[in-house]
Amino acid sequence: MKLALALTLLPLASGACPYLEAGGDPSTGSPHSLEARANFAAAVDEIDFAEVMADLKSRFVTSDPAWPADYGTYAPFFIRLAWHCSGSYRTSDGRGGCDGGRQRFDPERSWDNNTNLDKARGLLWDIKQKHGPGLSWGDLFVLAGTTAIESMGGPVLGFCAGRMDDADGSDSIPLGPNAEQQALAPCEVNGECEEPLGSTTVGLIYVNPEGPMGKPDPVVSGGQVRDTFLRMAMNDTETVALIGGGHAFGKTHGACPDGPGESPAENPTHPWAGNCGTGVGVDAFTSGFEGPWTTDPTSWDNEYFTNLLNYDWDVAKGPGGHYQWSANSTTAADSPVAPTADLADTQPIMMLTSDISLINDPDYKEIVADYAANPSNFDDAFAHAWYKLVSRDMGPITRCKGGEVPDAQPFQYPLPPTPAASSLPPVADVMSALKSHLSASPSSVPAFASLAFSCASTFRRTDFLGGCDGARVRMEPERSFPGNEGAEEVLRELEEIRSEFPNLSVADIIVLGGNAAIEAAGGDVGTVCIGRTDAPDGDLGSEYLFPRIAGNEDIDIAHLYDSIDLLGLTKMEFVALSGGHDLAQEGAWAVNPAKLSVGYFDRLLNLEWDGEAAPYTAVGADNEKLFATEVDMLVRVDAQLQAAAQALLQDEDLFKQQFGKAWGKLMQNDLFFSNEERAELCA
Ligand code: HEM
Ligand SMILES: *[C@@H]1O[C@H](CO)[C@@H](O)[C@H](O)[C@H]1NC(C)=O
Ligand SMILES: *[C@@H]1O[C@H](CO)[C@@H](O)[C@H](O)[C@H]1NC(C)=O
Ligand SMILES: *[C@@H]1O[C@H](CO)[C@@H](O)[C@H](O)[C@H]1NC(C)=O
Ligand SMILES: *[C@@H]1O[C@H](CO)[C@@H](O)[C@H](O)[C@H]1NC(C)=O
């Protein structure tokens, strides 16, 4: 009984309860260091994914009595695993998604909707163990689902490998349910939660399948389906393809009304034992609904759509005590396509309220009719939507590894390929041109530094959007972010220098300009890389980004912590970077000529500040009027940020070291060079 071992071993191995850490520093599990990232990518290169897929295919059809496979295959079960792992993704902050493999940990593993997925993960342990650390759990979950689709005849676009596992579930704490999520994104009525939360119901992947708040109302349910899929960047055609494609396979489980038993958080050694009969096989309880959606739930087809259109659907409570819909086999509605099977001869099929919503919404219904009549439209839409579903949180295609990576997709916002080092000018030449410009024009020091900072600080480590690669600071919406008002003028200045260096991108000159400015002001910038490229016209790479720190005058401490975490910085590093205000040309922290010092911390901590809201004011040592933003004031008053500011004020070396570390991270976070590329492009 290998599986039984795996099932008891895995929950124990998953470690401490992250609820305890709520309110603490969420940046402990991630971000992964640049070195760790490159080393992991090299380990992924060693994995033979074709062999993993072969192992998966034999796993699908090898039933384990500890959790017997329905219809002789685990394939549908693994599709649900991959979908629930990926479907937590939300565009609001890039959190969620399968990269990180956090479904192994609380809070996600104990969500109602992840009931019994501990068994699916346990069934994969032998394969994980066989292939070693280059095969992450995140990759294995997604590949299991993708291979499952393919093995049952479904259309598959490819596979982007390279998900890097997190050490714990802390990055999912903001998804809830817990106190930290309530502080960041309160949800007053669970079932009607709004953005930035990814779902209407905290603890569910998307909507309540039974209908809003458990009421089987397909009209209201349809609105919720649209709303929640939009929050993960899925439009109507993608949404209908995904739901119908997923529910082409497998079944719901709800043998009796007694429930699934305790979650892993409640009972880590024997979670979800099931309260019906034996708890497994025909007695399984997962969602509390019972039955398949189609008459052939182990083969790819568009029967889900023809069924929706061909039968009248009646609602009643099923064996699990929840409302579900059954097909009235005697009445076929006025359907454009012929019924697939005589239902009297097959296992009863069912629909969830969320499925029925697709024929109650006129826009959804049109798509259902298209997929029912034109299977190739369905195949094409599903293959693309599935790949996007499972890969979206991976960020740019440069993160994708393995031999099955499809061409760059629109959701990856493709940039031109990384240039060969030999086609680029030597970094030293560019730096010396920049530095002689800055010594002739010292007022450009703060301008260059702040443009590089604006360009790079849009990055979010959750889904790898933002950052200076692409130089999207030139384009909308970033061009209009607060703080970028003077960017165009600075860009013209940089363009003049760039014109001396063929093949150097705008993104590179912005970053190198910032580096030269920091060095001119006496700071250290750490490793310097070139090889960035510029986003083409019409690029949408910043469509989900918005100003998080600069210009956000409503920010509170929970959101500031969150923003620091998204940047991949520690609190100390963030506070050190704030010391860069010391370079500001005018206003708050003017010191001329620009020199990086701890003066900002001195003024912030030691002056008397007036005002109820930003801009706060104080009078400086030379009687000058100083201003502070809401973020400055949070650094002054928040216990942890204040402690960092005190430490930096008292130790100039520590300040320079932390500043350099933070600056270097910010400038490189969005680059996914291989070890070989790093050797050539970074110095
Ligand atoms: C509105 C969105 C959705 C809702 C409310 C929903 C709901 C459900 C429910 C209640 C179950 C039964 C779980 C159980 O009792 O075992 C289920 C199973 C399943 N779902 Fe979905 N689902 C949705 C979207 C999707 C999507 C997008 C996919 C994949 C592309 C998918 C794939 C599956 C599969 C394959 C199963 C069968 C698992 C098995 O046989 O063990 N679902 N879904
Ligand atoms: C999700 O959780 C809700 C509430 O517990 C439950 O009614 C529903 O059946 C679950 N759905 C799935 C897919 O597990
Ligand atoms: C949804 O997005 C996909 C992929 O970008 C696109 O092919 C499709 O036309 C879009 N559908 C709608 C209704 O906009
Ligand atoms: C099926 O539809 C027929 C005709 O409308 C109706 O008489 C019958 O009661 C329905 N059966 C069920 C199970 O609802
Ligand atoms: C610029 O790049 C092109 C294409 O890679 C290359 O052929 C050319 O030699 C490069 N120019 C210089 C001056 O390196």
Side-chain angles (χ1 to χ4, degrees):
M1 288 276 291
K2 265 191 204 154
L3 172 66
L5 176 71
L7 292 183
T8 49
L9 193 135
L10 283 176
L12 288 176
S14 56
C17 172
Y19 286 57
L20 300 175
E21 293 162 80
D25 189 337
S27 63
T28 45
S30 236
H32 306 285
S33 71
L34 298 171
E35 293 71 21
R37 269 176 10 187
N39 291 339
F40 175 69
V44 178
D45 285 338
E46 304 292 307
I47 299 295
D48 181 347
F49 286 101
E51 196 187 318
V52 180
M53 288 171 77
D55 291 344
L56 282 166
K57 285 178 187 164
S58 75
R59 173 77 278 180
F60 297 162
V61 294
T62 312
S63 184
D64 190 310
W67 186 259
D70 302 318
Y71 315 116
T73 174
Y74 291 116
F77 193 30
F78 288 128
I79 297 173
R80 177 169 162 252
L81 174 74
W83 143 238
H84 284 208
C85 191
S86 309
S88 55
Y89 174 79
R90 55 190 196 183
T91 57
S92 58
D93 58 6
R95 283 210 170 80
C98 206
D99 188 12
R102 288 176 303 277
Q103 199 198 58
R104 295 166 296 149
F105 307 115
D106 282 318
E108 287 186 53
R109 69 171 177 160
S110 296
W111 285 357
D112 279 346
N113 284 170
N114 289 334
T115 303
N116 287 330
L117 291 177
D118 57 322
K119 279 87 174 177
R121 296 190 296 270
L123 287 163
L124 294 174
W125 168 237
D126 283 351
I127 299 177
K128 168 81 176 95
Q129 180 163 245
K130 174 180 167 191
H131 292 271
L135 178 62
S136 66
W137 278 113
D139 277 352
L140 186 53
F141 297 156
V142 168
L143 189 58
T146 304
T147 308
I149 292 167
E150 196 203 13
S151 75
M152 295 186 289
V156 159
L157 203 64
F159 175 60
C160 160
R163 288 164 195 77
M164 204 173 166
D165 286 338
D166 285 359
D168 58 38
S170 50
D171 269 359
S172 290
I173 290 176
L175 305 182
N178 51 50
E180 175 169 308
Q181 160 258 315
Q182 277 295 329
L184 274 172
C187 177
E188 265 157 41
V189 181
N190 203 16
E192 297 173 4
C193 311
E194 292 171 6
E195 274 202 295
L197 292 169
S199 164
T200 53
T201 308
V202 178
L204 304 193
I205 303 298
Y206 281 102
V207 298
N208 187 329
E210 197 173 7
M213 314 289 288
K215 278 203 284 302
D217 179 339
V219 175
V220 182
S221 176
Q224 290 198 338
V225 170
R226 176 171 289 116
D227 178 32
T228 54
F229 273 77
L230 265 178
R231 296 187 212 177
M232 68 177 305
M234 293 295 179
N235 65 23
D236 282 4
T237 43
E238 293 167 319
T239 302
V240 174
L242 281 173
I243 298 174
H247 294 173
F249 303 120
K251 69 184 286 284
T252 59
H253 301 81
C256 80
D258 297 341
E262 291 173 316
S263 76
E266 293 156 341
N267 184 348
T269 43
H270 200 24
W272 285 317
N275 294 333
C276 308
T278 62
V280 304
V282 293
D283 290 337
F285 188 110
T286 299
S287 61
F289 305 97
E290 181 57 42
W293 291 266
T294 74
T295 58
D296 186 4
T298 58
S299 303
W300 174 256
D301 54 36
N302 68 343
E303 192 195 313
Y304 173 90
F305 300 110
T306 55
N307 286 348
L308 275 175
L309 297 175
N310 275 334
Y311 303 107
D312 286 338
W313 294 90
D314 303 317
V315 67
K317 286 204 171 162
H322 286 299
Y323 286 113
Q324 60 183 63
W325 301 69
S326 57
N328 185 327
S329 60
T330 60
T331 56
D334 49 342
S335 163
V337 278
T340 319
D342 183 349
L343 291 184
D345 298 341
T346 70
Q347 179 185 9
I349 56 171
M350 56 81 70
M351 292 280 168
L352 303 163
T353 300
S354 50
D355 298 307
I356 296 296
S357 82
L358 303 182
I359 48 171
N360 278 270
D361 177 282
D363 293 334
Y364 281 157
K365 191 170 182 183
E366 211 174 291
I367 301 164
V368 169
D370 179 38
Y371 294 163
N374 303 298
S376 64
N377 290 356
F378 171 43
D379 286 7
D380 186 58
F382 180 80
H384 285 87
W386 174 263
Y387 183 67
K388 174 171 161 182
L389 171 72
V390 298
S391 314
R392 158 131 220 150
D393 65 327
M394 286 290 284
I397 193 170
T398 40
R399 285 198 73 216
C400 290
K401 311 289 292 175
E404 305 285 331
V405 183
D407 290 345
Q409 300 293 304
F411 71 86
Q412 295 173 312
Y413 310 111
L415 293 175
T418 304
S422 58
S423 71
L424 295 173
V427 175
D429 294 1
V430 186
M431 289 297 276
S432 70
L434 283 161
K435 281 190 185 150
S436 64
H437 179 89
L438 288 174
S439 63
S441 163
S443 70
S444 300
V445 170
F448 283 12
S450 79
L451 180 61
F453 180 79
S454 306
C455 190
S457 62
T458 53
F459 178 75
R460 52 190 207 190
R461 67 180 179 82
T462 45
D463 60 357
F464 304 92
L465 295 187
C468 202
D469 197 10
R472 295 181 170 105
V473 70
R474 299 164 297 153
M475 309 156 92
E476 294 302 343
E478 285 187 39
R479 184 161 59 176
S480 302
F481 283 1
N484 288 344
E485 293 83 8
E488 241 156 276
E489 212 173 300
V490 184
L491 273 167
R492 270 197 297 276
E493 207 176 322
L494 285 167
E495 279 292 352
E496 245 171 70
I497 302 167
R498 186 172 85 106
S499 65
E500 300 164 33
F501 299 102
N503 291 350
L504 193 69
S505 64
V506 178
D508 273 344
I509 196 78
I510 292 174
V511 170
L512 294 180
N515 287 346
I518 297 301
E519 286 183 356
D524 179 24
V525 296
T527 305
V528 178
C529 299
I530 55 170
R532 291 168 192 80
T533 56
D534 299 330
D537 284 348
D539 168 89
L540 293 173
S542 304
E543 62 181 323
Y544 294 111
L545 304 179
F546 51 87
R548 290 191 164 268
I549 298 181
N552 184 353
E553 291 301 348
D554 292 330
I555 196 164
D556 60 21
I557 191 64
H559 286 86
L560 181 57
Y561 278 9
D562 185 50
S563 302
I564 294 169
D565 181 38
L566 286 173
L567 277 175
L569 300 176
T570 64
K571 295 187 179 74
M572 172 66 92
E573 287 167 347
F574 173 77
V575 173
L577 270 183
S578 310
H581 282 285
D582 210 23
L583 298 180
Q585 228 160 346
E586 54 195 34
W589 315 112
V591 183
N592 277 311
K595 271 278 160 259
L596 209 54
S597 79
V598 295
Y600 165 83
F601 304 113
D602 187 14
R603 293 185 290 274
L604 185 68
L605 295 176
N606 293 325
L607 292 178
E608 249 175 71
W609 290 92
D610 292 326
E612 296 287 303
Y616 301 90
T617 57
V619 179
D622 298 326
N623 243 2
E624 74 276 32
K625 197 163 183 197
L626 303 175
F627 300 93
T629 65
E630 206 58 55
V631 173
D632 292 322
M633 214 38 60
L634 288 172
V635 174
R636 177 177 151 107
V637 301
D638 173 69
Q640 291 185 54
L641 302 181
Q642 182 194 70
Q646 290 169 344
L648 294 169
L649 174 57
Q650 289 173 59
D651 185 343
E652 179 118 24
D653 289 341
L654 178 69
F655 165 60
K656 293 222 164 131
Q657 181 241 337
Q658 290 290 320
F659 183 93
K661 214 167 110 210
W663 182 271
K665 238 194 226 182
L666 213 53
M667 298 303 146
Q668 291 179 63
N669 258 336
D670 58 341
L671 301 177
F672 303 97
F673 294 153
S674 64
N675 275 327
E676 298 73 45
E677 284 169 329
R678 286 190 73 77
E680 299 224 299
L681 295 166
C682 302

